[in-house]
Amino acid sequence: MSGPLERYQKLKLKDSLIVSYRYPIASRELSFILRFVYSEVPKALQALILEDTLTAFRLLPQMQTQSAVSAANVLIQSAEAALPKQKRVLAITEFKQAKVAHKRRSKACKEDTGLVQLPQDVLVHLFSFLDMQSLVSAGLVCRLWYAAATDNYLWQRHSAAYFCDLDSFVENKVCISGRSIKEDVGAVGSFDWKDAFRRKYTGYPSWKFNYNRGYCRYCNLIVWLNNLMCPNAHLGQISEYHMIKPVLSPNQVVAYILEDSLLMLDSSDSDSGSDGEFGYKLWAYRRR
């Protein structure tokens, strides 16, 4: 049976901090670990938590998003509350230096006015690397970005990633050409994949779209999800999403480290209530 040190290492927080879109989540998990785990674990794990905290501050200048800054602010508050004096001073020093470097870098980016209007095909390629929520947000920037963000190719990819079986996904609907999706290879341009995704989306639990963390019951690990699935190989097979339980709060990460258990919400709690509100906020943008 693994101990807190092994379970903490398996979270791979240090590796996650390097990835810009994972930085806010990893930093918030780290802030909860500082507050509720640090004083309860051996010195070896305390040293590792401190090292990851300092790493988070050193990486902050590279994270040019407000969510990353907010997560770092929460992290320094936890460090001030949990760390002993000498280590607290070290963390505060790293944080202040990181904030100064972040402001300088942000200012330099704002002064760079040489922006070029990219062709739509280039934007579509760039947007193909975005998650679903970021893609919706990108479409609100301007008309050019909206046209690229609503490209059928992108939403067909998301449909395949989230719902897998495209034939059942379109529910036997036909394209404008009168042929089924399966029959018409060129139907991508005549079928509104974004609208179909939106309608299908309303029947799914919101955690699948709102969180990148999950607990794989097969691996007994908290993992970063890849298309709603565990990225680890299981005897040559990849775990399906039904093997995944959502990690909805850093409190669950704390419970996992200390007790090797998760404070999982009931499916009725995680799949209802906030789903309608979340779905409304995501899709309630005026049509153009």
Side-chain angles (χ1 to χ4, degrees):
M1 184 176 179
S2 61
L5 177 60
E6 291 78 11
R7 291 193 290 272
Y8 178 84
Q9 290 174 326
K10 290 176 181 178
L11 291 175
K12 298 181 178 180
L13 288 179
K14 191 171 186 177
D15 294 337
S16 303
L17 290 167
I18 300 173
V19 184
S20 59
Y21 59 87
R22 290 178 177 172
Y23 180 93
I25 298 175
S27 294
R28 287 192 172 91
E29 289 181 0
L30 194 53
S31 67
F32 271 71
I33 291 170
L34 271 171
R35 284 185 178 271
F36 303 111
V37 175
Y38 184 84
S39 62
E40 305 292 332
V41 295
K43 290 185 177 180
L45 181 50
Q46 288 182 350
L48 194 56
I49 294 172
L50 175 62
E51 180 184 346
D52 288 350
T53 301
L54 298 179
T55 298
F57 294 145
R58 290 165 186 160
L59 291 172
L60 178 60
Q62 303 176 28
M63 309 298 164
Q64 298 298 309
T65 63
Q66 186 57 45
S67 60
V69 175
S70 299
N73 287 330
V74 173
L75 183 57
I76 189 58
Q77 292 173 9
S78 296
E80 290 175 338
L83 295 176
K85 183 177 180 180
Q86 186 175 3
K87 296 177 180 178
R88 181 169 65 245
V89 171
L90 179 60
I92 292 174
T93 301
E94 287 286 352
F95 175 73
K96 288 182 177 179
Q97 292 175 350
K99 286 283 285 186
V100 171
H102 184 273
K103 288 181 179 179
R104 288 176 179 171
R105 187 163 182 173
S106 298
K107 184 178 180 180
C109 291
K110 290 179 181 178
E111 291 175 351
D112 182 10
T113 57
L115 298 178
V116 179
Q117 183 169 307
L118 297 175
Q120 183 168 335
D121 59 336
V122 176
L123 284 174
V124 170
H125 175 70
L126 294 175
F127 289 172
S128 67
F129 296 98
L130 298 178
D131 58 64
M132 184 265 295
Q133 293 183 63
S134 299
L135 183 61
V136 173
S137 299
L140 301 177
V141 173
C142 63
R143 292 182 182 275
L144 179 64
W145 282 34
Y146 175 80
T150 54
D151 188 90
N152 257 348
Y153 165 73
L154 298 177
W155 288 98
Q156 186 190 29
R157 281 168 52 95
H158 281 291
S159 301
Y162 283 101
F163 305 112
C164 299
D165 186 357
L166 294 184
D167 288 333
S168 62
F169 171 70
V170 297
E171 298 176 348
N172 299 321
K173 294 184 182 296
V174 295
C175 304
I176 296 174
S177 62
R179 291 172 290 182
S180 68
I181 294 294
K182 187 174 182 180
E183 293 172 339
D184 192 350
V185 178
V188 176
S190 56
F191 184 81
D192 190 343
W193 284 100
K194 181 181 179 182
D195 183 65
F197 184 101
R198 179 183 59 79
R199 286 185 277 105
K200 186 76 172 180
Y201 160 89
T202 56
Y204 273 68
S206 66
W207 72 265
K208 294 181 180 179
F209 303 92
N210 208 17
Y211 297 93
N212 293 321
R213 279 293 218 183
Y215 175 78
C216 177
R217 289 176 285 182
Y218 195 101
C219 297
N220 192 30
L221 293 175
I222 292 180
V223 297
W224 291 100
L225 301 182
N226 182 10
N227 287 339
L228 308 182
M229 295 187 294
C230 173
N232 299 323
H234 306 139
L235 301 177
Q237 301 294 323
I238 299 296
S239 172
E240 297 295 336
Y241 71 85
H242 68 266
M243 297 291 294
I244 300 295
K245 296 287 285 183
V247 175
L248 302 176
S249 166
N251 284 320
Q252 294 173 290
V253 177
V254 170
Y256 170 75
I257 295 174
L258 292 178
E259 306 170 12
D260 195 16
S261 66
L262 287 180
L263 303 174
M264 287 300 175
L265 300 178
D266 293 335
S267 59
S268 60
D269 293 333
S270 61
D271 294 354
S272 62
S274 62
D275 285 357
E277 180 182 358
F278 177 76
Y280 175 79
K281 289 181 179 179
L282 180 61
W283 299 107
Y285 301 131
R286 66 181 181 85
R287 292 184 175 274
R288 305 189 183 193

